[in-house]
Amino acid sequence: MAGWSCLVTGAGGFLGQRIVRFLLEEKELQEIRALDKFFRPELREEFSNPKHRTKLTILDGDILDKKCLKRACQGISVVIHAASLIDVVNAVRRETVMDVNLKGTQLLLEACIQADVPIFIYTSSLEVAGPNSFREIIQNGHEEEHRETRWTSAYPYSKKLAEKAVLAADGWTLQSGGTLRTCALRPMYIYGEGSPFLYAQMTHALKNNGILKYDTKLSIANPVYVGNVAWAHVLASRALRDPEKAPTVRGQFYYISDDTPHQSYGEFNYTLGKEWGFCLDSRISLPVSLQYWIAFLLEIVSFLISPIYKYQPSVTRHLVTLSNSVFTFSYKKAQQDLGYEPLFSWEEAKQKTIQWIGSLVEQHKEALKTR
């Protein structure tokens, strides 16, 4: 596909901006359109002054704006749909999460059909596969197991339905008579510089004398570096543009992990933060089964009083399960079909992330001085 063009949604986000940077290095890519509702000023400046041969166009727009999506897709060869509303604590209205993650995806698929965009790559989530129970142990899982979340919480449910919609759209007839090719990528827990989850964990700890929360002792996760996830998207775009590889990749989903050591979320945060004086909370935490039933009771209370008061429990059964499960997956299928190999080693990813956490520590110190 000589002289191709690409639209990236969520291009101002943690993952999206890195996908854009990788795409700028792609041969024969004539234009990148970076769509998002918000771009940080420094990122807008970076994208407005690219030192590359590829044209980079910033589009300020909403994933729910049909007219915006129609304009954004005109003349585009590949759509990478990374825009998403991530909410694992149910802090956002359910309708809002469902609209952005599911309806937005459906509208974008329709825009692709109308604009004759032949390739659609969806950034899915590990959560579409589970975990469904903290008692179930899944290690080095793979795509052939066809795992599916049973949670109805807005985030995993919306991502599951959106992924199904994308994969079911493979083979749809485009306006001009061509055929739509789709695939989905399911990254593990994504970390790296600018991670909103790491930022929340570290800033909370800084306000608590450097003590990191450690209520996830029983979990085993395989975090994946953001640069490797972005790279996987580029490889997926190459595969779906390749006449030989495309038939194998079409309509498929792929787990994306790397060589980051498998460990609990708390231990992982400690590994990244110990150089800056962070330590794990040594207090004894409640048994996971007790946490689960407390969460269940809080959910019942929330439901019972919902007609008169909107009460959002601080913890839910879904969150307890997510935070305390053994749930890891292999990237062998992505390796086989997409040619995926982690671009960044664990040591590289670790050092980059540790340096960024160090900058958060320095900012905190400066803030204390100005008080």
Side-chain angles (χ1 to χ4, degrees):
M1 193 183 289
W4 62 291
S5 55
C6 185
L7 168 67
V8 180
T9 71
F14 173 51
L15 173 62
Q17 61 184 272
R18 286 169 169 87
I19 295 174
V20 170
R21 292 189 188 112
F22 273 128
L23 286 170
L24 285 168
E25 306 295 333
E26 287 295 277
K27 295 178 181 178
E28 299 181 337
L29 178 54
Q30 293 185 336
E31 182 185 6
I32 301 170
R33 293 179 193 165
L35 173 67
D36 211 324
K37 206 171 182 178
F38 173 78
F39 289 89
R40 287 180 291 105
E42 59 269 29
L43 186 62
R44 184 181 293 275
E45 184 178 353
E46 177 193 335
F47 283 1
S48 298
N49 300 286
K51 298 175 183 177
H52 297 80
R53 63 185 178 279
T54 304
K55 179 183 178 183
L56 176 53
T57 306
I58 293 176
L59 301 176
D60 295 286
D62 194 315
I63 198 67
L64 295 172
D65 185 337
K66 287 185 180 181
K67 290 182 179 178
C68 169
L69 296 182
K70 185 177 180 180
R71 289 194 302 270
C73 288
Q74 290 299 320
I76 288 293
S77 316
V78 177
V79 164
I80 297 178
H81 181 31
S84 182
L85 186 50
I86 302 173
D87 177 33
V88 297
V89 294
N90 295 341
V92 183
R93 288 176 65 247
R94 180 181 183 82
E95 293 78 8
T96 303
V97 177
M98 294 298 295
D99 279 350
V100 171
N101 292 350
L102 178 57
K103 186 178 177 181
T105 301
Q106 293 168 331
L107 291 175
L108 187 57
L109 282 168
E110 291 170 10
C112 286
I113 297 301
Q114 293 165 6
D116 289 317
V117 179
I119 293 172
F120 191 107
I121 298 160
Y122 178 61
T123 309
S124 189
S125 166
L126 175 65
E127 284 202 52
V128 306
N132 291 316
S133 169
F134 59 83
R135 293 188 174 88
E136 186 180 22
I137 295 176
I138 306 298
Q139 290 182 298
N140 292 316
H142 51 83
E143 289 81 354
E144 285 68 31
E145 293 168 337
H146 293 288
R147 297 189 174 279
E148 184 174 302
T149 183
R150 294 195 295 268
W151 296 104
T152 56
S153 300
Y155 178 67
Y157 187 62
S158 63
K159 294 296 284 186
K160 179 179 77 170
L161 295 183
E163 185 194 89
K164 283 180 180 291
V166 170
L167 299 185
D170 183 78
W172 279 7
T173 303
L174 303 176
Q175 194 79 22
S176 65
T179 302
L180 180 65
R181 288 163 266 166
T182 72
C183 76
L185 306 183
R186 295 181 179 178
M188 306 297 107
Y189 164 67
I190 308 176
Y191 72 93
E193 316 92 281
S195 161
F197 291 106
L198 269 179
Y199 178 84
Q201 291 286 333
M202 296 301 169
T203 52
H204 180 272
L206 285 168
K207 294 172 185 176
N208 191 33
N209 299 315
I211 299 173
L212 292 160
K213 290 192 293 185
Y214 192 31
D215 52 1
T216 60
K217 296 181 178 68
L218 301 179
S219 64
I220 297 181
N222 55 329
V224 59
Y225 181 60
V226 62
N228 290 328
V229 179
W231 178 235
H233 283 75
V234 175
L235 294 176
S237 74
R238 290 181 185 176
L240 284 175
R241 286 185 292 115
D242 186 326
E244 292 184 6
K245 290 185 177 180
T248 302
V249 176
R250 287 180 52 178
Q252 300 294 309
F253 67 86
Y254 295 90
Y255 292 113
I256 305 299
S257 56
D258 59 19
D259 302 321
T260 302
H262 298 188
Q263 56 200 297
S264 75
Y265 293 107
E267 288 165 346
F268 182 65
N269 290 340
Y270 174 65
T271 298
L272 298 174
K274 61 184 177 182
E275 183 175 318
W276 305 108
F278 289 91
C279 59
L280 288 170
D281 193 338
S282 59
R283 290 177 297 180
I284 298 173
S285 55
L286 294 173
V288 178
S289 56
L290 183 56
Q291 293 180 45
Y292 185 90
W293 288 111
I294 289 173
F296 182 45
L297 291 173
L298 291 175
E299 288 175 41
I300 290 174
V301 171
S302 174
F303 174 75
L304 291 175
I305 66 174
S306 59
I308 56 172
Y309 181 72
K310 178 64 176 175
Y311 164 63
Q312 179 54 54
S314 57
V315 64
T316 63
R317 288 172 295 163
H318 171 234
L319 186 58
V320 170
T321 302
L322 187 65
S323 304
N324 291 280
S325 293
V326 176
F327 205 60
T328 68
F329 288 83
S330 165
Y331 61 81
K332 272 189 178 179
K333 186 179 178 184
Q335 192 176 38
Q336 177 182 309
D337 293 359
L338 307 178
Y340 169 73
E341 293 289 348
L343 201 59
F344 299 89
S345 69
W346 159 235
E347 283 303 318
E348 288 177 284
K350 180 171 68 171
Q351 287 308 314
K352 287 175 179 289
T353 309
I354 286 173
Q355 288 175 13
W356 170 70
I357 291 172
S359 71
L360 298 182
V361 174
E362 290 304 313
Q363 290 171 24
H364 180 71
K365 288 178 179 176
E366 289 299 317
L368 291 177
K369 286 179 184 176
T370 57
R371 283 183 183 177

